Amino acid sequence: RSSRSKEEGDKKKKKKKDRKSERSRSDRRSERSDDAAAGKGDQGNSSSSGGGLTAGLAGAVGGLASMNIRGSSGSKGSDAKAAAKSAAAQAGKAGGPGAVSVGGGMATFRVPVPGNVKPGEEFQVFAGGRIVRVRCPLDSRPGQSLQITVPVDQSGEENGEKGGGTGGGAGGAGGGGAGGAGPRLPQVPPDSENVTKIPNQTLAPGEMPAYMVRIPDGVRGGERFPVTIGGQQLTVTCPEMARPGMSVRIVPPPPPAGGAASLDRPRHPQRVANPNRGGDKTKMFEVVVPPGVKPGQPFALLAGGVRVLVTCPTNAQQGQKIRFNLPAGLVAKSDEKKGELAEIKLSYDKDGWTRTIRATDMMFQWTRFDERGNVDERTDFDADRSAYVLKLDYLDDSDRMRQGRISLVTPEKGVVDSKIKGANGADLVSYSDIATAQNKSYEDKIQWFQETCAQLCVEWNEGHMRMNVRREYLLSDSMEAVMSLSRTDLRKVWRFEFIGEAGIDAGGLAREWFELVTEEVFDPDMGLWQTSATNQMCMQINPASEISCPEDHLIYFRFIGRVMGKAMFDRQLVKGHMVKHLYKHILGWPVMFNDLKDIDEEYYNSLQGLKDMGADVEHLCIDFSTMEETLGVKQTVELVPNGENIDVTEENLPEYIEACLKYRLLGRYEAQLNELLLGFFDVIPEPLLTIFDFQELELLMCGLPHIEMDNWQEHTEYSGEYDREGPNHEVCVWFWEIVSEYDHELKARLLQFVTGTSGVPAKGFSSLQGNDGNVRKFTIHGVTMDTCVYPRSHTCFNRIDLPLYEGKE
């Protein structure tokens, strides 16, 4: 086993070395090709994007200019132009890697700066079927990549249809940089295997024929499954009373106008008119300011059956009446006991923290209530009560590379908008829609989420993306392609092509791309992620990722965020489970001191021990700093400014624990997480996630695991009160009977509760690991009812404490 592990490790290192070497060779080929290019063409919009600097990607220079180009004169210019066109033709035939925008009138490319070009100088590349003049940004240098946008050449597209595609990378055939392919001739895919056309039908003019569709295995009533009929990709809903193997009769809609159906063209998502668009009707409420509430202080109340947060006006005081408005759809109607949404609880409770709605601006906000139901406004840090949420403040609204800064703030400051606007600027989703979705089942939440994403998707006729990548350099090509896209492009339909392979993307290539890219990017050997110290099935951000990828590690995290967001947007899965608090950060959920236990239990226990020492903590001679060790090199990190000179005492111990909490939950990898979230929210609107909890988010991103009940029971250990009888104990028999009746979602949630993740090892439950990396099988530990009334979990040991219940119910 040791020899085999060493061989696998050598293969991974060689693959990583080859990838870096290929990037270097591609850059050199690009420079040689750019040096040879000269002649006439258009000038494109460009922005710097190299050297691993996110700010470099965001800098935009140049602009659309005239067709007059100061090229080399005489025959030399003509020869260079001919050479450039010849190289581009070869690249087009080879299908150069990169992303190309098809339709919509514009195309985006990434090109490297040649070695002999200085900042401010112009150089020429071949992009979009013709020569383009680009001005090197002042903050760029040779070898960096630039992002350029040029108008689509319609004549070039026509030529591409006839000749198999034009355009290509600046690096020539097979080189790095940007590449593209012209539109292909429409190809109609065959009908799905489970589709049969009903024979001998008499149809009126314009009427579509009917088909019988067999329900695939594993599909239940109410679930949807895809089919292809007459070249169209359709989604069929299984009737409630149907089961796998039965057939249903459907009549497909007419094909889209414009000739034969193209496999690239998906079915248009139906744009449903939102009844709440244009603003909700409101209803006014009048309330007396409660005793003890001061001007400017918030207080909570029930209005029409909905808990809301109201801020006392600065010119009001206790005992006075104030007025506020709420959407009429949320409150009780005059002729009904309760309104349509009056029972909705706008919250997920987290250790006393509740998500409420502010009546002043209808923003979501976390609030903690005391024992009397009043808003808890205590600001001093308490390890058992205080919490923080991750807040992302945007610094600009660029469509290319939006900049922002994350920070941990107290929950009442981490507000989230309750509306989502569509592409036309109108309200697509309102507070009422989100409030309704929060109360749905998990499956209904997913359906609502996916339908909303379909309405946010850019229409096919407005442009779509063709992604060309090489399988042997999948990660680098994919990163270059995805990072060349704008936020609008990220919501377009993507069609993938593996260069040199025959295949038409009807969904299978996209699914393969997401699986391969996320699997490779989460590989610990890549250096961006590492396995969690408490759960070997989960991945956490590597604080030392800069060492593995010194020039572009932050670019890769922005890339990872975009891929994860696009996967959710397109109903794809991610091949990597993250640690629990990262899902909370994405959702903006409160994180508390107890969350440290899931990150590093030993570190958590040591801080707990400090709390019990009292005044003796001063004898430990510790200060507000910590020691980080990377590749054997130790470095002191200050938890607060001038932390090395601040000793920890009994009085400032809460502040020390607070500083440790912030550092371990964010400070160690703040830059990496900042880029990941910026990339993620480039695709997914933040308010859209408020309907999920962190467990649901993991299931949505990674999918429901395939759980074999026999394998689960076979590799389960028993301890405590169940040690003697094991699986034959009456309570254990009841436990497995109940779990066997669970659906896939509940089984996955039970696995999350006990092990900390819904993931199942590739070898099954026999290889389930604990926090020490050793095999720790799923364990049922028997306890008395005096110890606990409800089951409790120990995720570090994959153990569930199951009380000795007297009955199955």
Side-chain angles (χ1 to χ4, degrees), residues 193-474:
E193 295 181 355
N194 58 334
V195 173
T196 303
K197 186 177 181 179
I198 300 177
N200 303 324
Q201 301 183 56
T202 302
L203 304 175
E207 183 180 0
M208 296 295 295
Y211 294 80
M212 299 300 295
V213 178
R214 188 178 69 256
I215 301 174
D217 295 336
V219 175
R220 298 177 298 172
E223 294 184 345
R224 299 182 178 185
F225 59 93
V227 295
T228 301
I229 299 178
Q232 297 188 84
Q233 294 177 278
L234 308 176
T235 301
V236 179
T237 301
C238 178
E240 292 291 343
M241 302 302 295
R243 62 180 183 273
M246 297 178 63
S247 295
V248 294
R249 181 181 181 276
I250 69 168
V251 178
S262 170
L263 186 62
D264 278 345
R265 182 186 300 274
R267 188 183 183 191
H268 292 293
Q270 186 176 1
R271 304 272 178 165
V272 182
N274 193 325
N276 296 307
R277 194 173 297 170
D280 292 331
K281 295 181 178 180
T282 60
K283 184 175 182 179
M284 181 175 292
F285 288 84
E286 188 176 78
V287 63
V288 176
V289 179
V293 175
K294 301 177 182 179
Q297 182 178 348
F299 62 95
L301 53 85
L302 287 175
V306 178
R307 181 183 289 275
V308 297
L309 198 66
V310 179
T311 301
C312 178
T314 55
N315 59 349
Q317 56 185 350
Q318 61 181 3
Q320 286 187 341
K321 293 182 179 180
I322 61 174
R323 295 178 179 179
F324 62 93
N325 294 316
L326 284 180
L330 295 181
V331 299
K333 300 179 181 179
S334 57
D335 57 342
E336 299 177 5
K337 291 184 178 180
K338 292 187 177 180
E340 179 184 358
L341 305 175
E343 290 292 339
I344 293 178
K345 187 177 182 183
L346 302 175
S347 66
Y348 289 111
D349 290 333
K350 163 64 180 172
D351 297 319
W353 289 97
T354 303
R355 176 165 270 166
T356 57
I357 193 76
R358 291 196 313 205
T360 53
D361 53 10
M362 302 303 293
M363 300 279 281
F364 289 121
Q365 173 183 318
W366 290 99
T367 307
R368 184 181 178 89
F369 300 97
D370 58 21
E371 296 77 8
R372 297 177 298 174
N374 298 325
V375 178
D376 189 350
E377 291 193 298
R378 288 177 289 182
T379 58
D380 56 311
F381 178 79
D382 184 279
D384 299 324
R385 176 183 54 83
S386 299
Y388 291 93
V389 300
L390 194 73
K391 181 183 179 183
L392 175 58
D393 294 309
Y394 294 104
L395 305 179
D396 58 60
D397 195 33
S398 170
D399 188 52
R400 286 292 174 188
M401 290 290 290
R402 186 167 48 172
Q403 301 302 307
R405 183 180 297 111
I406 59 173
S407 59
L408 283 178
V409 298
T410 50
E412 68 274 6
K413 297 179 181 178
V415 297
V416 178
D417 198 356
S418 61
K419 290 185 178 181
I420 301 174
K421 294 186 180 296
N424 59 355
D427 288 342
L428 181 67
V429 173
S430 71
Y431 164 79
S432 303
D433 301 322
I434 295 177
T436 306
Q438 284 183 345
N439 207 37
K440 294 177 179 289
S441 65
Y442 172 67
E443 292 183 354
D444 290 338
K445 285 181 181 181
I446 293 179
Q447 181 176 347
W448 181 86
F449 175 84
Q450 293 174 345
E451 290 174 352
T452 305
C453 288
Q455 296 183 59
L456 290 169
C457 183
V458 176
E459 292 282 1
W460 177 267
N461 293 333
E462 297 175 10
H464 50 280
M465 303 306 302
R466 184 163 293 146
M467 314 291 284
N468 303 322
V469 295
R470 297 169 293 181
R471 189 178 292 273
E472 60 269 29
Y473 306 109
L474 177 65

Side-chain angles (χ1 to χ4, degrees), residues 442 446 572-575 577 695-706 744 748 752 758-759:
Y442 172 67
I446 293 179
Q572 302 290 346
L573 299 179
V574 173
K575 292 285 289 185
H577 295 262
Q695 293 174 323
E696 292 171 336
L697 182 62
E698 181 185 10
L699 295 178
L700 178 61
M701 295 179 67
C702 303
L704 293 173
H706 178 69
H744 292 305
Q752 282 179 322
S758 61

Side-chain angles (χ1 to χ4, degrees), residues 97-100 108 110 147 177 465-469 475-485 494 513 559 562:
V100 136
T108 302
R110 284 171 68 89
Q147 181 172 292
M465 303 306 302
R466 184 163 293 146
M467 314 291 284
N468 303 322
V469 295
L475 195 57
S476 57
D477 283 357
S478 299
M479 190 272 287
E480 292 286 337
V482 172
M483 294 308 298
S484 71
L485 305 180
W494 290 5
W513 181 85
F559 163 72
R562 287 187 166 192

